[in-house]
């Protein structure tokens, strides 16, 4: 990937990693991935977080494109955006490959 494209990709990744950089949001994403779509009330169950706090975290995830909701009656049901998680995986894979190349160059330099 050229430096220009890499810079664009990194800028696109920043909101994703910012959103996932919070432990609570990361737990919410993991739970939605494992258990499937659910309401704020259900996401709050078993935690010490208020519904308001969970809703705030969900808005951050939504703004980053990592989650979205649909209204069913009085409830909003949240789910993960699989494509954005795939974007995260791809960015991490690219970074890993860059590190592998850098480490390989360092090893060659030692010989």
């Amino acid at each position: 990937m050229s430096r220009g494209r890499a810079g664009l990709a990194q800028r696109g990744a920043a909101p994703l990693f910012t959103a996932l950089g919070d432990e609570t949001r990361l737990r919410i994403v993991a739970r939605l991935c494992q258990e499937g779509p659910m309401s704020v009330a259900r996401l709050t169950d078993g935690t010490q977080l208020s519904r308001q706090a969970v809703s705030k975290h969900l808005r951050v995830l939504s703004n980053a494109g990592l989650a979205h909701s649909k209204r069913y009656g009085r409830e909003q049901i949240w789910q993960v955006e699989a494509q954005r998680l795939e974007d995260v995986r791809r960015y991490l894979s690219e970074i890993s490959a860059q590190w592998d190349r850098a480490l390989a160059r360092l090893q060659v330099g030692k010989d």
Side-chain angles (χ1 to χ4, degrees):
M1 180 180 289
S2 72
R3 283 189 187 255
R5 284 192 60 208
L8 289 174
Q10 289 167 356
R11 282 192 297 277
L16 296 172
F17 290 109
T18 299
L20 292 173
D22 179 86
E23 185 179 338
T24 300
R25 287 191 289 271
L26 193 54
R27 279 197 310 265
I28 289 171
V29 169
R31 192 157 172 217
L32 288 171
C33 286
Q34 291 170 355
E35 299 177 35
M38 63 181 78
S39 67
V40 172
R42 193 161 156 226
L43 279 165
T44 304
D45 287 345
T47 71
Q48 295 185 354
L49 296 170
S50 67
R51 288 183 186 188
Q52 183 180 13
V54 170
S55 292
K56 258 185 173 176
H57 286 294
L58 287 166
R59 277 193 299 278
V60 172
L61 292 169
S62 178
N63 290 340
L66 286 162
H68 74 275
S69 69
K70 289 185 182 177
R71 186 164 290 282
Y72 292 98
R74 294 176 56 198
E75 287 191 310
Q76 259 186 303
I77 305 299
W78 286 86
Q79 67 184 48
V80 169
E81 285 289 345
Q83 182 55 54
R84 289 300 274 170
L85 286 180
E86 176 58 28
D87 291 343
V88 170
R89 189 205 58 75
R90 191 179 71 248
Y91 293 138
L92 288 174
S93 193
E94 289 173 8
I95 291 167
S96 178
Q98 289 172 359
W99 274 101
D100 288 345
R101 288 189 297 272
L103 290 172
R105 284 191 305 271
L106 288 173
Q107 290 298 322
V108 170
K110 282 185 171 182
D111 294 338

